[in-house]
Amino acid sequence: MTKNLEQTAHSTLEQELKESIKGYPRTWIEYFKQLAPAVVVSSIGAAAGQELATRLGYDSKLATTAASYVCGYIPGYLTFFGLEYWKNRGKYSDGLFSREFAHFAGTFLAADYIADIATFTPAFIASNIWLTDNTDLSPAVRGLTAWNTSALLYISAIAGLHPLTRRITSAVNNKVKSVVKKLKRDR
């Protein structure tokens, strides 16, 4: 019986991955539409952060890259989650701290974390440093260029990873729930 359950779970994952591959172009377009406003806002933040760091005298590669990264991420996340909540506030009837919004944020952040670590962060750091070393672009233009090229790579990665990370997140949540139930039962 255990073998059959494993085969069923494996078949389901295999089928889900096949469907994910077939639907990738559509998923990529959906992610692009959903993330585009946040990418625009965050790229402006990245450009401003790099320019400001340079004007304040912190013009090392580390300082400008870090300033650009932080100043891009904070407004990007705020824009993304703010727009999601605003566009779908009827879906989140209990407000910003509703279970539904937490589920959305959790599944997105799981996919985001993997796509960010695997693609965006290394691509942004490498491209920003390369642009610093090999071009005469202003700090703001370097920030815009590095951020937006890395964002396209990131969108490509997250569109492919989201179905898998959604499944992993669901499995982790189920495990956590079962542990909590067991702890409550053992009291």
Side-chain angles (χ1 to χ4, degrees):
M1 183 166 170
T2 305
K3 187 175 180 182
N4 289 339
L5 287 174
E6 288 174 6
Q7 287 175 338
T8 303
H10 181 68
S11 298
T12 305
L13 176 59
E14 184 179 322
Q15 185 61 31
E16 192 171 330
L17 290 172
K18 284 179 183 177
E19 292 301 316
S20 178
I21 291 167
K22 287 179 189 174
Y24 181 79
R26 180 178 25 86
T27 304
W28 192 93
I29 290 168
E30 288 173 17
Y31 262 99
F32 182 81
K33 287 178 183 177
Q34 193 173 15
L35 291 168
V39 169
V40 169
V41 169
S42 61
S43 66
I44 292 168
Q50 192 153 211
E51 183 68 34
L52 184 59
T54 302
R55 287 186 185 204
L56 292 173
Y58 300 103
D59 58 355
S60 71
K61 290 180 247 184
L62 176 64
T64 57
T65 302
S68 190
Y69 190 83
V70 170
C71 291
Y73 253 92
I74 293 170
Y77 272 127
L78 291 174
T79 300
F80 177 75
F81 287 118
L83 286 174
E84 168 62 26
Y85 180 76
W86 184 71
K87 287 178 185 177
N88 299 301
R89 58 189 174 274
K91 186 171 145 182
Y92 308 121
S93 57
D94 291 338
L96 188 60
F97 299 105
S98 68
R99 180 173 290 211
E100 294 83 13
F101 192 73
H103 178 72
F104 169 80
T107 56
F108 175 80
L109 288 172
D112 173 72
Y113 178 75
I114 294 169
D116 182 36
I117 296 300
T119 59
F120 183 85
T121 298
F124 175 74
I125 292 169
S127 61
N128 196 59
I129 290 172
W130 186 88
L131 289 168
T132 301
D133 289 343
N134 296 295
T135 68
D136 292 329
L137 297 173
S138 72
V141 173
R142 278 195 320 261
L144 281 172
T145 304
W147 193 273
N148 288 316
T149 54
S150 300
L152 287 174
L153 181 60
Y154 164 81
I155 291 170
S156 299
I158 198 169
L161 292 171
H162 190 89
L164 184 59
T165 56
R166 181 178 49 230
R167 186 179 181 90
I168 292 168
T169 302
S170 178
V172 168
N173 287 342
N174 290 337
K175 277 287 192 201
V176 169
K177 286 177 187 175
S178 72
V179 168
V180 169
K181 282 181 184 178
K182 185 177 188 231
L183 289 173
K184 284 182 179 180
R185 225 182 12 225
D186 291 344
R187 279 184 164 184

